[in-house]
């Protein structure tokens, strides 16, 4: 009887873990489609580089304060309500994006989308980490692979379909489907305990105590280290992806379709890297691999910017996408390992406090691009691998800390 109960519980958690990965897939499907469609959206809505930078900076800044609250409550008894409520917001945001007729309305949809993604998607990540607390890097590799699959899928489907408004409608439908599955798990009692409430289930626990505990973690040197490196690593991840299509159109003089192909190459090869990373982390130390890939990126990225040939650029872009695999999953896994009892606040509260400053990076890149040219602004992204090479501690040093 006990064995059957354990097997039933394992199957239930495995099914729910798959649903969590599907949610990440959908979230990245939205961004993969959006980044590939950026030149089309820019032309349809008449946006300039400053507005493109604001499109990420303003929603991110607002979301920081909302997600901080989500993070505190997500470590307590409000976890499932945040997931479901944010899922509703996610669907509405995609719908607003689809019907936007101006930059202001599109910006409004992103202001809703960012915190909704934080509650629906990022809290799902925290739940996944709580289900198997001894396999943070491995499950983060699976999470990242699901996200990469979504990014590639979004860019490919847009390349075939070519209608960004219809694509946002599709994203709303997919998100509604995932939300329905989540609600069904909660309603039927099939969701694991980790998805219902966080580690702070004490009756005496309060929001004030949770916030105090989260802020106290910021005084820890290793916590700040991993969050800072995570912010810098994003220069060669989401921020590069955000400007990649525009780079090929505005700097290289290619068509929007060719730019979408370039995005697909970067994300597609990255998908292979993310897939291979899953077994690799069972055999190789994650930080050792991260330091190695940062060194290669430091050499390859400047070469990518300097060579004039489109064919060589695409090859180098694929190499970059392959070796960038693991940056996010390894660093995020280190964060969860450093903060084992604060999974939700680790990602949504502490991460957003540190990320407040990192949220201005897209705006800075956009402002430099508007005034000095996108070709100049792209060199700022080289700070990502430089920070990793400087900040990742040697294994021997970590053991002495």
């Amino acid at each position: 009887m006990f064995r059957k109960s354990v097997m039933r519980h394992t199957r239930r958690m495995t099914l729910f873990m798959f649903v969590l990965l599907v949610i990440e897939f959908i979230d990245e499907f939205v961004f993969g489609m959006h980044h590939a469609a950026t030149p089309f959206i820019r032309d349809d809505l008449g946006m300039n580089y400053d507005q493109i930078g604001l499109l990420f900076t303003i929603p991110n800044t607002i979301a920081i304060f909302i997600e901080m609250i989500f993070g505190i409550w997500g470590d307590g008894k409000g976890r499932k309500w945040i997931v479901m409520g944010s899922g509703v917001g996610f669907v509405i945001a995609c719908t607003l994006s689809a019907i936007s007729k101006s930059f202001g309305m599109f910006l409004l949809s992103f202001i809703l989308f960012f915190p909704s993604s934080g509650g629906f998607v990022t809290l799902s990540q925290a739940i996944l980490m709580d289900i198997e607390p001894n396999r943070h890097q491995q499950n983060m590799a699976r999470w990242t692979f699901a996200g990469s699959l979504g990014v590639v899928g979004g860019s490919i489907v847009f390349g075939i379909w070519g209608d960004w408004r219809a694509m946002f409608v599709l994203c709303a439908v997919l998100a509604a489907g995932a939300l329905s599955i989540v609600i069904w798990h909660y309603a039927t009692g099939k969701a694991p305990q980790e998805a219902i409430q966080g580690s702070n289930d004490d009756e005496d626990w309060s929001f004030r105590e949770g916030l105090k505990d989260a802020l106290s973690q910021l005084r820890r040197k290793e916590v700040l280290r991993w969050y800072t490196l995570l912010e810098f690593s994003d220069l060669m991840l989401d921020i590069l992806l955000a400007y990649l299509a525009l780079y090929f159109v505005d700097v290289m003089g290619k068509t929007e379709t060719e730019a979408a192909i370039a995005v697909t190459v970067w994300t597609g090869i990255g998908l292979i890297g993310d897939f291979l990373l899953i077994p690799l982390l069972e055999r190789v130390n994650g930080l050792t691999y991260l330091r190695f890939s940062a060194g290669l990126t430091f050499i390859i990225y400047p070469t990518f910017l300097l060579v004039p040939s489109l064919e060589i650029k695409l090859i180098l872009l694929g190499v970059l996408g392959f070796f960038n695999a693991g940056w996010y999953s390894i660093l995020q896994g280190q964060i969860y390992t450093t903060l084992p009892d604060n999974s939700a606040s680790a990602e949504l509260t502490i991460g957003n406090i540190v990320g407040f400053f990192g949220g201005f990076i897209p705006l800075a890149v956009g402002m430099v691009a508007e005034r000095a040219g996108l070709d100049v602004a792209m060199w700022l992204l080289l700070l990502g691998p430089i920070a990793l090479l400087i900040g990742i501690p040697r294994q021997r040093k970590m053991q002495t800390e």
Side-chain angles (χ1 to χ4, degrees):
M1 181 68 69
F2 175 76
R3 183 179 178 182
K4 289 183 178 180
S5 176
V6 171
M7 291 178 64
R8 190 183 306 114
H9 182 61
T10 302
R11 286 197 299 268
R12 183 173 65 192
M13 288 202 300
T14 301
L15 175 61
F16 195 82
M17 288 170 67
F18 176 75
V19 174
L20 298 178
L21 295 176
V22 169
I23 292 174
E24 166 65 0
F25 168 84
I26 296 170
D27 182 60
E28 294 299 335
F29 186 92
V30 174
F31 277 98
M33 176 276 299
H34 171 253
H35 291 315
T38 296
F40 294 90
I41 299 173
R42 188 266 306 272
D43 293 342
D44 287 351
L45 301 181
M47 296 188 295
N48 56 35
Y49 284 125
D50 284 343
Q51 290 174 320
I52 292 173
L54 289 171
L55 189 62
F56 294 96
T57 301
I58 292 178
N60 180 74
T61 303
I62 295 174
I64 282 174
F65 299 100
I66 299 175
E67 290 180 7
M68 285 173 59
I69 298 174
F70 285 173
I72 299 299
W73 286 118
D75 272 334
K77 296 185 176 181
R79 175 169 287 191
K80 71 173 183 179
W81 301 111
I82 294 173
V83 171
M84 290 188 291
S86 298
V88 173
F90 192 103
V91 174
I92 295 174
C94 289
T95 304
L96 285 177
S97 295
I99 63 176
S100 294
K101 299 296 183 181
S102 65
F103 166 71
M105 189 172 182
F106 199 70
L107 176 62
L108 179 63
S109 71
F110 268 50
I111 290 175
L112 176 60
F113 183 86
F114 272 55
S116 296
S117 177
F120 187 45
V121 183
T122 311
L123 193 52
S124 293
Q125 180 190 102
I127 293 170
L128 181 65
M129 295 299 103
D130 285 349
I131 291 176
E132 289 190 330
N134 296 323
R135 295 179 58 82
H136 286 155
Q137 288 192 7
Q138 290 84 353
N139 279 332
M140 278 305 308
R142 292 179 174 85
W143 177 272
T144 303
F145 174 70
S148 295
L149 192 63
V151 172
V152 174
S155 60
I156 290 177
V157 174
F158 173 76
I160 297 172
W161 200 342
D163 187 338
W164 64 271
R165 295 185 185 277
M167 287 289 291
F168 270 113
V169 172
L170 174 62
C171 293
V173 172
L174 292 174
L179 177 61
S180 298
I181 296 174
V182 170
I183 293 175
W184 177 80
H185 272 86
Y186 282 127
T188 59
K190 295 182 179 296
Q193 184 65 25
E194 294 85 352
I196 299 174
Q197 64 184 36
S199 58
N200 292 316
D201 58 355
D202 194 332
E203 292 292 338
D204 296 329
W205 180 85
S206 67
F207 178 84
R208 182 177 180 180
E209 291 174 348
L211 180 59
K212 182 180 178 181
D213 181 53
L215 292 176
S216 68
Q217 299 293 342
L218 283 173
R219 292 195 290 267
R220 297 174 57 192
K221 180 181 177 181
E222 60 178 335
V223 171
L224 287 175
R225 171 200 289 154
W226 297 124
Y227 274 114
T228 300
L229 292 180
L230 186 64
E231 290 298 322
F232 273 100
S233 72
D234 201 43
L235 284 165
M236 293 300 301
L237 299 174
D238 286 348
I239 296 177
L240 173 58
L241 181 59
Y243 287 96
L244 191 57
L246 291 172
Y247 172 78
F248 276 89
V249 172
D250 296 350
V251 178
M252 294 293 296
K254 304 303 176 181
T255 66
E256 286 87 349
T257 301
E258 289 173 321
I261 292 174
V263 171
T264 303
V265 168
W266 190 77
T267 55
I269 301 298
L271 175 64
I272 297 174
D274 287 329
F275 177 76
L276 294 177
L277 183 70
I278 296 174
L280 180 67
L281 288 180
E282 300 288 351
R283 300 172 175 83
V284 178
N285 178 270
L287 295 180
T288 301
Y289 170 77
L290 189 58
R291 190 182 299 106
F292 167 76
S293 64
L296 284 179
T297 301
F298 178 73
I299 298 172
I300 296 172
Y301 181 68
T303 307
F304 162 77
L305 294 177
L306 291 172
V307 297
S309 170
L310 174 62
E311 291 75 15
I312 297 178
K313 277 187 181 290
L314 290 177
I315 293 173
L316 292 174
L317 192 61
V319 175
L320 282 172
F322 183 84
F323 284 104
N324 282 350
W327 285 26
Y328 172 72
S329 57
I330 293 171
L331 290 171
Q332 189 65 61
Q334 285 294 133
I335 289 173
Y336 281 117
T337 301
T338 306
L339 298 166
D341 297 323
N342 304 86
S343 59
S345 58
E347 181 61 8
L348 290 172
T349 303
I350 305 173
N352 276 312
I353 293 173
V354 179
F356 175 81
F357 302 98
F360 289 94
I361 294 177
L363 177 60
V365 175
M367 293 178 67
V368 172
E370 184 69 24
R371 290 153 182 80
L374 184 58
D375 55 335
V376 175
M378 294 294 284
W379 283 93
L380 296 176
L381 308 190
L382 193 59
L383 292 172
I386 291 175
L388 293 182
L389 289 172
I390 295 174
I392 297 175
R394 299 288 179 179
Q395 196 68 23
R396 183 178 301 176
K397 180 180 178 182
M398 286 190 64
Q399 291 173 354
T400 60
E401 289 183 354

